[in-house]
């Protein structure tokens, strides 16, 4: 119990620490925000909040602002905020309307690259910065017929020409219960804004991956033991929460599917929330069935599904009004769950106390987000962290119960087996004494043969797996690729992957895992799994090495997995290659004019230094250029006593292939290296990848 509490305290303190603020940023007053001293400090990012000038029912351009001010005094609107009026006053049109907002920001950063992160507005907008239209979502309009809503957060980079910047924002809304600038625009130096956004992506993807993994894990638990159905409903809740994190916040779903209609995106956002209550209620009901009223559960289930049906059958201008009632409904269900848990604790129900602690954390984060989303308080959103902490504790609790059951079953099986063996020994004692030697020899022979067969089978399987993950995709019409792969055993330590990111973008990965055989295969699969995971978010080779380095440093420190690796990307939109190497030897580019270009290492081996930022090498490529990527086993045995001489011999060998046809390069290099070594095999795994720009 104390172990669980320590985990909860530690995780929640991390959330609070990440939400703490060292200095309170200034706010706008009467349409003017002065932040010179605040932004003079490095790494400061400021939300543009406070009193903006407000011109309801008007659209005008920045050039018309002076004229508008001369004939009409501006109103002032507190951002973030909504212009939504009372439902009793305007019914389902309470959020409809349009208007123009303006603020002047005095930042003192003339000529310094700045960026603004613009979230979605409710529910279409155009943003002018210093008179220039830089961002928009949807189509702003003065009528419902022509207005088009859209949610697509974006980051805009610009360089201010003066020490102050003017922001003019046009917003219209006819599709959501909330209308107006309900979200906050933030500004800062370009590097700081992009760094914050990249951190948010990494944080959200880790959160999605963690919760989704918990869900899939419990799906398999249910698949293998259907006597515990609560694991199935817990898994569904995890999957829904992971989906909601992916849909909301930075709207990753819209980035993955750019043409996704706004109405479908909004329905998925609401459904991912509305479905959680009845499904999670089912999980709690099954876990604490003696204390949870079936009628209350049926009420939570049918009311929750009814809300979901309304979302599916109605338009956004109607079902968005359901959010506040459903939040209140969910909060009442949470309060009832707390009563159920208190009764279970009173009766010393196993696991009830730790469930209560984690559920209180979840309810606190849920209440915080309700208040933030309804603009009652201004603080960070914490619901995803609250849910993660609760689900993490629940996963440990469920796993502990399963483990305890397996241990009890194993103990009973061992006890029964021991008794059977004792009886068998008494009955066959005379026979065993007469045939002991022959029986033992036969048993050992069978055992050894079985182990040998299993080892052979495992080696064949490992070899098949490595061959399947190292297949080279189609590279035409940009590249031609030939590979020399010489492991010293059936499965070697060298591992390479070739991935076509897009039709014009290719990525090559080459690494040298530790050992040979099954050990090398397991390490290679871990490397391949992490490569596939981070390739989706790593836009540059050095980013990919950074994420892989951090993963193997954090997650596999006990295994002490360290390995050199390199990543080379080809971008044929710009005809450029990008390279990053961690602990590898220099690589070679042979230009079509026979000029040799040495590509040097850009960082340490993977898994040895925490938070290391790898360098990057970039070079233009043209048709006829050849790139040679290789591991150290290719040249180390040329001269074991003199590494520089071995490198010179390899360079000379590669340069001599300049006039050869592409398909003859690798056979020629292999022949020449064997001649220089005066032997036909290598002691170490050796890999050579030859790439030609077509």
């Amino acid at each position: 119990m104390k172990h669980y509490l320590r985990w909860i305290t530690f995780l929640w303190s991390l959330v609070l620490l990440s939400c703490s603020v060292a200095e309170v940023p200034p706010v706008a007053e009467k349409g003017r925000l002065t932040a010179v001293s605040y932004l003079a400090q490095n790494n400061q990012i400021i939300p543009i909040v406070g009193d903006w000038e407000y011109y309801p029912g008007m659209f005008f351009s920045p050039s018309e602002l002076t004229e508008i001010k001369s004939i009409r005094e501006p109103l002032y609107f507190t951002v973030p905020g909504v212009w939504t009026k009372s439902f009793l006053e305007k019914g389902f049109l309470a959020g409809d309307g349009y208007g123009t907002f303006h603020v002047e920001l005095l930042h003192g950063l003339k000529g310094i690259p700045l960026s603004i992160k613009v979230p979605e507005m409710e529910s279409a907008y155009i943003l002018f910065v210093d008179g220039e239209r830089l961002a928009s979502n949807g189509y702003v309009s003065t009528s419902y017929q022509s207005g088009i809503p859209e949610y697509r957060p974006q980051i805009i980079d610009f360089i201010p020409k003066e020490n102050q910047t003017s922001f003019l924002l046009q917003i219209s809304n006819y599709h959501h219960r909330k209308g107006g600038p309900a979200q906050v625009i933030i500004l800062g130096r370009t590097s700081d804004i992009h760094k914050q956004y990249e951190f948010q992506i990494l944080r959200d993807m880790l959160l999605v991956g963690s919760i989704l993994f918990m869900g899939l894990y419990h799906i398999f638990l249910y698949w293998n033991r259907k006597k515990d159905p609560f694991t199935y409903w817990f898994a569904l809740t995890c999957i829904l929460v992971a989906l909601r994190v992916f849909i909301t916040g930075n709207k990753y779903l819209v980035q993955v599917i750019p043409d996704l209609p706004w109405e479908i995106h909004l329905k998925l956002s609401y459904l991912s929330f509305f479905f959680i209550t009845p499904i999670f209620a089912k999980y709690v009901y099954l876990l604490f069935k003696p204390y949870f009223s079936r009628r209350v559960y049926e009420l939570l289930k049918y009311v929750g599904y009814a809300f979901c049906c309304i979302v599916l059958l109605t338009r956004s201008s109607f079902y968005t009004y359901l959010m506040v009632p459903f939040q209140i409904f969910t909060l009442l269900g949470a309060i009832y769950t707390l009563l159920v848990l208190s009764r279970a604790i009173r009766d010393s129900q196993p696991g009830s106390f730790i469930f209560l602690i984690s559920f209180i954390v979840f309810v606190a984060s849920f209440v915080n987000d309700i208040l933030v989303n309804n603009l009652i308080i201004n603080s960070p959103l914490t619901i995803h962290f609250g849910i993660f902490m609760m689900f993490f504790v629940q996963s440990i609790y469920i796993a502990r119960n399963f483990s305890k059951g397996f241990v009890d079953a194993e103990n009973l099986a061992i006890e029964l087996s021991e008794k059977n063996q004792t009886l068998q020994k008494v009955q066959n004692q005379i026979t065993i004494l007469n045939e002991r030697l022959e029986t033992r020899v036969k048993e050992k022979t069978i055992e050894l043969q079985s182990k040998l067969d299993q080892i052979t089978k495992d080696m064949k399987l490992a070899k098949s797996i490595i061959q399947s993950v190292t297949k080279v995709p189609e590279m035409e019409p940009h590249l031609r690729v030939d590979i020399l792969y010489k492991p010293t055993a059936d499965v070697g330590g060298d591992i390479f992957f070739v991935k076509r990111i897009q039709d014009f973008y290719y990525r090559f990965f080459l690494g040298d895992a530790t050992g040979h055989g099954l050990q090398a295969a397991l390490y290679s699969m871990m490397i391949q799994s992490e490569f596939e995971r981070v390739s989706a978010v790593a836009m540059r080779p050095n980013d990919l090495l950074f994420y892989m380095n951090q993963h193997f440093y954090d997650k596999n420190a006990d295994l002490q997995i360290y390995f050199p690796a390199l990543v080379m990307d080809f971008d044929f939109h710009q005809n450029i290659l990008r390279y990053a190497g961690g602990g590898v030897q220099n690589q070679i580019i042979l230009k079509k004019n026979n000029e040799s270009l040495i590509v040097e290492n850009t960082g340490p081996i993977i898994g040895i230094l925490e938070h290391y930022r790898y360098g990057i090498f970039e070079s233009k490529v043209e048709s006829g250029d050849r790139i040679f990527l290789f591991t150290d086993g290719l040249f180390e045995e040329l001269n074991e006593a003199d590494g520089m001489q071995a490198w010179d011999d390899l360079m000379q060998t590669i340069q001599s292939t300049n006039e050869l046809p592409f398909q003859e390069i690798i056979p020629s290099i292999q022949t020449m290296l064997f001649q220089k070594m005066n032997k036909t095999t290598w002691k170490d795994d050796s890999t050579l990848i030859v790439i030609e720009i077509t």
Side-chain angles (χ1 to χ4, degrees):
M1 188 67 69
K2 292 182 179 179
H3 177 71
Y4 288 145
L5 292 177
R6 283 197 298 268
W7 267 106
I8 292 175
T9 304
F10 172 71
L11 292 173
W12 189 248
S13 64
L14 286 181
V15 175
L16 295 178
L17 181 62
S18 65
C19 298
S20 62
V21 180
E23 180 182 349
V24 177
V27 299
E29 296 180 1
K30 294 187 176 181
R32 186 172 181 83
L33 175 55
T34 302
V36 176
S37 59
Y38 181 80
L39 291 175
Q41 308 172 53
N42 290 331
N43 303 322
Q44 289 288 26
I45 294 175
I46 185 169
I48 308 177
V49 299
D51 296 335
W52 288 44
E53 294 178 2
Y54 177 40
Y55 301 88
M58 296 182 66
F59 281 154
F60 54 85
S61 64
S63 61
E64 299 172 318
L65 177 61
T66 303
E67 180 181 353
I68 294 296
K69 283 188 174 182
S70 66
I71 61 177
R72 175 174 175 176
E73 285 290 330
L75 302 176
Y76 293 100
F77 192 96
T78 301
V79 176
V82 294
W83 60 53
T84 303
K85 297 182 180 179
S86 170
F87 179 82
L88 299 176
E89 182 180 345
K90 295 191 65 177
F92 291 106
L93 303 178
D96 290 9
Y98 62 95
T100 302
F101 301 82
H102 174 257
V103 70
E104 293 284 344
L105 172 60
L106 182 61
H107 47 68
L109 299 176
K110 177 181 178 180
I112 297 177
L114 300 179
S115 295
I116 53 174
K117 182 179 179 184
V118 189
E120 73 276 7
M121 299 293 175
E122 307 297 351
S123 54
Y125 74 87
I126 299 175
L127 177 64
F128 296 89
V129 179
D130 284 335
E132 182 180 355
R133 175 173 173 166
L134 292 188
S136 64
N137 267 190
Y139 184 79
V140 297
S141 173
T142 59
S143 65
Y144 170 82
Q145 288 74 15
S146 56
I148 300 175
E150 185 180 21
Y151 284 167
R152 196 179 301 275
Q154 52 189 306
I155 295 177
I156 307 299
D157 303 330
F158 70 99
I159 300 177
K161 299 178 181 179
E162 302 294 338
N163 283 322
Q164 72 176 28
T165 298
S166 172
F167 295 92
L168 189 138
L169 183 63
Q170 298 177 356
I171 301 180
S172 68
N173 174 66
Y174 304 98
H175 300 81
H176 199 280
R177 69 181 175 89
K178 295 191 294 186
Q183 307 293 333
V184 176
I185 299 174
I186 61 173
L187 176 140
R189 292 172 175 82
T190 296
S191 59
D192 297 331
I193 293 293
H194 283 273
K195 185 184 298 183
Q196 182 196 66
Y197 182 62
E198 291 171 359
F199 172 78
Q200 290 174 351
I201 292 176
L202 178 61
R203 178 202 63 194
D204 291 345
M205 291 305 101
L206 288 174
L207 192 60
V208 169
S210 301
I211 297 176
L212 184 61
F213 177 78
M214 285 189 282
L216 296 177
Y217 171 74
H218 287 90
I219 282 286
F220 284 111
L221 283 183
Y222 173 73
W223 184 271
N224 289 282
R225 183 178 172 82
K226 293 184 172 60
K227 289 181 63 177
D228 296 319
F230 61 86
T231 57
Y232 170 77
W233 295 97
F234 179 76
L236 287 185
T237 310
C238 290
I239 294 171
L240 278 173
V241 171
L243 177 64
R244 179 160 179 79
V245 176
F246 193 73
I247 293 174
T248 58
N250 284 314
K251 307 293 189 294
Y252 301 111
L253 181 62
V254 178
Q255 299 180 32
V256 174
I257 311 175
D259 297 329
L260 183 70
W262 179 85
E263 184 73 35
I264 294 179
H265 175 247
L266 192 65
K267 284 183 183 292
L268 290 175
S269 176
Y270 273 66
L271 288 173
S272 64
F273 176 64
F274 287 179
F275 268 118
I276 290 175
T277 295
I279 291 177
F280 186 72
K282 179 71 170 181
Y283 165 66
V284 180
Y285 171 72
L286 292 175
L287 207 58
F288 299 99
K289 202 169 185 178
Y291 309 97
F292 204 115
S293 169
R294 181 173 182 82
R295 291 184 178 180
V296 174
Y297 161 67
E298 296 288 346
L299 176 65
L300 293 172
K301 179 177 72 172
Y302 289 118
V303 172
Y305 290 153
F307 272 87
C308 295
C309 290
I310 295 174
V311 172
L312 289 171
L313 299 175
T314 60
R315 297 192 308 184
S316 60
S317 56
F318 177 83
Y319 67 74
T320 53
Y321 286 89
L322 300 179
M323 179 57 76
V324 173
F326 192 80
Q327 289 173 340
I328 296 173
F329 170 73
T330 302
L331 190 57
L332 292 175
I335 293 173
Y336 177 77
T337 302
L338 292 174
L339 296 176
V340 170
L341 294 174
S342 65
R343 294 171 57 197
I345 292 173
R346 180 196 61 192
D347 294 345
S348 300
Q349 182 75 7
S352 57
F353 181 75
I354 188 61
F355 192 108
L356 175 64
I357 298 300
S358 62
F359 192 73
I360 289 175
V361 173
F362 160 71
V363 172
S365 63
F366 178 69
V367 172
N368 174 79
D369 281 25
I370 290 178
L371 298 177
V372 172
N373 288 327
N374 289 282
L375 304 178
I376 298 174
I377 64 173
N378 184 18
S379 69
L381 297 174
T382 59
I383 185 65
H384 298 148
F385 296 100
I387 291 176
F388 171 75
M389 290 175 61
M390 184 183 69
F391 286 2
F392 177 74
V393 173
Q394 289 305 303
S395 297
I396 295 177
Y397 169 70
I398 294 174
R400 181 186 178 188
N401 287 344
F402 271 88
S403 177
K404 186 175 182 298
F406 290 144
V407 170
D408 292 342
E410 288 175 355
N411 291 336
L412 290 175
I414 292 173
E415 183 180 352
L416 179 60
S417 176
E418 290 175 349
K419 291 182 178 180
N420 287 335
Q421 289 176 2
T422 301
L423 180 60
Q424 187 67 30
K425 287 179 181 179
V426 173
Q427 294 175 346
N428 300 301
Q429 186 174 7
I430 297 177
T431 304
I432 291 175
L433 291 174
N434 293 332
E435 302 176 356
R436 179 181 298 171
L437 181 61
E438 180 181 354
T439 301
R440 291 189 63 183
V441 170
K442 184 178 180 180
E443 288 176 350
K444 290 297 181 181
T445 302
I446 295 174
E447 180 181 355
L448 290 174
Q449 185 62 43
S450 175
K451 291 184 179 296
L452 180 61
D453 292 342
Q454 184 62 44
I455 292 173
T456 303
K457 181 179 179 182
D458 290 345
M459 290 298 295
K460 290 181 179 179
L461 177 60
K463 183 178 180 180
S464 174
I465 292 173
I466 296 301
Q467 290 175 346
S468 67
V469 301
T470 56
K471 290 183 179 178
V472 178
E474 181 61 38
M475 297 289 174
E476 296 293 339
H478 301 293
L479 297 172
R480 287 195 292 178
V481 180
D482 199 3
I483 298 175
L484 171 66
Y485 178 63
K486 291 292 183 181
T488 56
D490 286 343
V491 178
D494 287 359
I495 184 70
F496 64 89
F497 314 114
V498 183
K499 187 175 183 66
R500 181 166 66 181
I501 307 297
Q502 296 182 19
D503 290 339
F504 61 90
Y505 202 105
Y506 304 88
R507 172 165 289 169
F508 290 76
F509 177 93
L510 179 59
D512 187 357
T514 304
H516 304 283
L518 292 178
Q519 177 190 11
L522 291 173
Y523 286 174
S524 299
M525 291 306 298
M526 293 175 67
I527 296 171
Q528 191 267 345
S529 174
E530 184 61 16
F531 169 79
E532 291 292 338
R533 188 182 72 83
V534 302
S535 276
V537 297
M539 304 306 296
R540 300 181 302 175
N542 57 329
D543 292 336
L544 187 141
L545 289 185
F546 170 78
Y547 294 141
M548 293 190 72
N549 175 73
Q550 199 58 35
H551 172 84
F552 283 99
Y553 186 92
D554 291 340
K555 305 298 183 183
N556 300 293
D558 294 339
L559 298 179
Q560 295 184 343
I561 301 178
Y562 314 118
F563 60 93
L566 63 86
V567 183
M568 181 171 286
D569 289 359
F570 291 89
D571 183 353
F572 287 101
H573 266 181
Q574 306 179 38
N575 288 331
I576 192 172
L577 69 78
R578 300 182 179 92
Y579 170 86
V584 296
Q585 63 287 328
N586 297 340
Q587 306 297 311
I588 300 173
I589 299 177
L590 194 60
K591 307 295 287 188
K592 68 177 182 180
N593 59 3
N594 205 24
E595 175 188 355
S596 297
L597 182 61
I598 304 302
V599 184
E600 297 183 348
N601 192 42
T602 64
I605 63 176
I606 306 301
I608 196 168
L609 291 179
E610 185 178 16
H611 299 308
Y612 188 88
R613 286 289 181 180
Y614 289 81
I616 188 168
F617 168 85
E618 296 186 355
S619 175
K620 287 287 186 178
V621 294
E622 56 185 346
S623 178
D625 290 350
R626 290 174 176 174
I627 297 93
F628 297 80
L629 307 178
F630 47 87
T631 57
D632 54 7
L634 189 69
F635 69 95
E636 281 184 343
E637 293 181 55
L638 288 171
N639 192 327
E640 297 180 357
D642 189 347
M644 291 301 299
Q645 182 61 44
W647 171 259
D648 292 338
D649 291 345
L650 179 63
M651 278 290 298
Q652 181 182 0
T653 301
I654 290 177
Q655 289 174 341
S656 67
T657 65
N658 186 56
E659 302 298 329
L660 292 178
F662 180 77
Q663 62 274 15
E664 296 180 13
I665 294 176
I666 284 185
S668 176
I669 290 176
Q670 186 173 6
T671 300
M672 287 187 284
L673 290 179
F674 284 154
Q675 290 174 353
K676 290 179 181 292
M677 293 188 301
N678 195 25
K679 52 187 176 182
T680 58
T681 58
W682 279 286
K683 294 180 181 179
D684 192 11
D685 302 324
S686 302
T687 303
L688 170 64
I689 303 176
V690 182
I691 307 166
E692 183 178 77
I693 311 300
T694 58

